[in-house]
Amino acid sequence: MKIARHLLSILSIIPASHALSNDTHYPLTLTNCGMEISLPSAPQSTVTVGQSATEILYALGLAERVAGTSVWFTPVLPEFREINADIERLADNDPSFEAVVNRRPELVAAQYEWHVGPTGSVATREQFHELGIATYVMPADCDTKDNSTGGDGTRTAAFSPESVYKGIRELATIFDVQEAGNALVAELETREATAIAAAEALELPDDLSAVFWFSSPDRSAAPYVAGRLGAPGYMMDALGIRNVVESDEEWPTVGWESIARADPDIIVVARMDRRRFAADDIAEKLDFLHSDPVTREMSAVRNGRIIEMDAHAMSATMRTLVGLETLVDALPTLAFDR
C-alpha cells in the first residue's frame, strides 16, 4: 500500500464543506517545539532540512513550494521520485546556513532540532528569524523528547505516531491544505491499524526480543542501537516484542558483548544510502554480524533472524509506519524454534 496512491481516493470522499470549515486565517501564529512562530501568509518557498519534512510536503501536494532539500538517509519514496528529481538537493547531509538562505525561503522546515535549534549544526532558529525566515521543527523530534542532553537526545516519554500526525496537520494548516493533511493522517492511521491486526493474527511466540542497529562509527566500535522509547520502541511495543536495550536515549551506544548476553531473537539492521560511518553500509553490517567471533554466535545470526529495514523508518517519521509493515511482513518468514 503506497501513500500517494491512496491519498487521491481518500481526498475524493472528504466533503468539501469539511475542508472549507478549516481554512487557515492569516497571520497564523502557533507554538512549535517551545517557540512561537508567526506566518503572514502561506509560504510560497520552503527549504527542508531533513527527509521527513521533505516527504511530508510532497505527500501534501506541496512539491512546487519546495525550493531545496537536504539531509537524506535513503532514496525518496518511489511515488515522489519524479517530482523530487526536479528539486535542488542542497546537500546529502547538513547544508550550510548560506546555502539555505541563498534559496530565499519563507519557511525552513526541519526534521531535527540538532540541525535547526538552540545549538543547530545548520543554524539556530533565531538566526533564520532575524532574516525574516520562519522555521518549523517536526514535533516528533521535540514532543516527549529532550534534545539538550547531547547526541541524539533522550526521550522523556514513549514516541507515538500521534506526534507525526500532529506535524502533518500543522504543516497542512501552515500551507492551508487541511484537506490533504486530514487525508494523509487517515491513510497512515489505517496502515498502522492494519499492520497491528496482521501481527496479532500471526500467533508469535511469547516474549520475543529484538535489537535495532542503526550504524557504528567503525566495525569494532559499540553500535548505535535503538532505545526503548523511540520509533523502533514503538514498533516493538505495538507488535509485542521486547527491546533488549532499556535506555531512554534515542540511539545509545551499547557494546556487542552486552547485546550478545541479552541474545535477542531478532536483529533489525538499517539500510541507507548515507555514508557518514563505515557501518552505514548494510553489507558491512551483515559481514560483521557473520564474521565477528561474538556476534556470529548470537541466535539471531545463527538462525537467520536478521531483518533489513529502511533507515528512515527507524526515525520518528511517517515512514515509521512503513517500518511497522516491514516487521509484520518479515516475521512470518522467520523460524523461532528455541
Side-chain angles (χ1 to χ4, degrees):
M1 187 181 297
K2 299 296 184 184
I3 294 169
R5 190 173 67 219
H6 290 272
L7 185 55
L8 291 176
S9 63
I10 295 172
L11 284 170
S12 67
I13 63 174
I14 296 178
S17 59
H18 180 77
L20 291 173
S21 66
N22 289 314
D23 287 353
T24 302
H25 298 285
Y26 300 98
L28 172 68
T29 299
L30 56 85
T31 299
N32 167 242
C33 290
M35 178 172 286
E36 186 175 278
I37 60 173
S38 182
L39 297 106
S41 60
Q44 298 302 306
S45 176
T46 304
V47 167
T48 54
V49 183
Q51 190 170 347
S52 175
T54 305
E55 292 184 337
I56 287 175
L57 292 180
Y58 290 170
L60 292 174
L62 296 166
E64 74 282 358
R65 310 279 187 97
V66 180
T69 71
S70 57
V71 187
W72 289 88
F73 288 98
T74 61
V76 72
L77 286 166
E79 55 265 40
F80 304 133
R81 192 175 295 142
E82 185 174 345
I83 58 175
N84 185 67
D86 293 330
I87 297 173
E88 183 179 1
R89 180 176 292 200
L90 304 182
D92 290 335
N93 295 304
D94 299 15
S96 68
F97 178 60
E98 292 76 13
V100 175
V101 171
N102 285 344
R103 299 304 300 161
R104 300 185 182 279
E106 296 174 24
L107 174 70
V108 171
Q111 179 173 344
Y112 299 114
E113 275 195 312
W114 66 273
H115 283 135
V116 180
T119 58
S121 62
V122 176
T124 65
R125 300 182 74 174
E126 289 83 0
Q127 284 176 281
F128 284 115
H129 296 175
E130 287 171 1
L131 297 176
I133 302 171
T135 60
Y136 182 84
V137 180
M138 300 307 299
D141 192 56
C142 58
D143 287 2
T144 72
K145 190 177 177 204
D146 179 4
N147 289 311
S148 67
T149 59
D152 293 303
T154 299
R155 288 281 169 185
T156 57
F159 160 79
S160 164
E162 284 303 319
S163 63
V164 175
Y165 304 153
K166 175 183 175 181
I168 292 170
R169 291 189 180 102
E170 289 186 339
L171 282 172
T173 299
I174 286 171
F175 287 91
D176 197 17
V177 290
Q178 288 86 334
E179 189 175 1
N182 291 335
L184 180 57
V185 170
E187 161 72 8
L188 294 172
E189 288 176 331
T190 298
R191 293 177 70 170
E192 179 185 12
T194 300
I196 292 172
E200 290 174 348
L202 294 178
E203 298 184 356
L204 297 170
D206 292 335
D207 196 32
L208 274 184
S209 61
V211 65
F212 278 59
W213 178 17
F214 191 83
S215 190
S216 305
D218 58 61
R219 286 172 60 113
S220 62
Y224 295 108
V225 291
R228 66 188 183 94
L229 299 178
Y234 153 77
M235 291 184 230
M236 287 183 269
D237 285 345
L239 303 183
I241 299 171
R242 177 175 57 85
N243 188 354
V244 299
V245 177
E246 297 183 353
S247 173
D248 291 350
E249 292 182 43
E250 192 86 341
W251 292 101
T253 55
V254 179
W256 281 113
E257 292 79 5
S258 296
I259 296 171
R261 282 196 295 272
D263 199 24
D265 297 303
I266 302 163
I267 300 174
V268 184
V269 294
R271 181 180 60 249
M272 69 185 85
D273 283 359
R274 187 192 78 169
R275 291 295 181 267
R276 178 174 291 178
F277 301 130
D280 285 351
D281 187 343
I282 195 166
E284 285 289 323
K285 290 186 179 78
L286 297 176
D287 180 67
F288 174 80
L289 288 173
H290 288 284
S291 62
D292 182 82
V294 173
T295 59
R296 69 189 182 194
E297 297 303 321
M298 295 168 63
S299 59
V301 178
R302 287 189 289 102
N303 293 289
R305 295 195 294 265
I306 301 172
I307 299 173
E308 298 181 18
M309 181 178 289
D310 181 319
H312 201 41
M314 293 188 183
S315 296
T317 70
M318 68 178 183
R319 283 213 197 187
T320 298
L321 285 309
V322 178
L324 190 66
E325 292 169 336
T326 298
L327 280 180
V328 173
D329 290 343
L331 286 171
T333 70
L334 307 181
F336 290 108
D337 296 331
R338 298 180 177 178

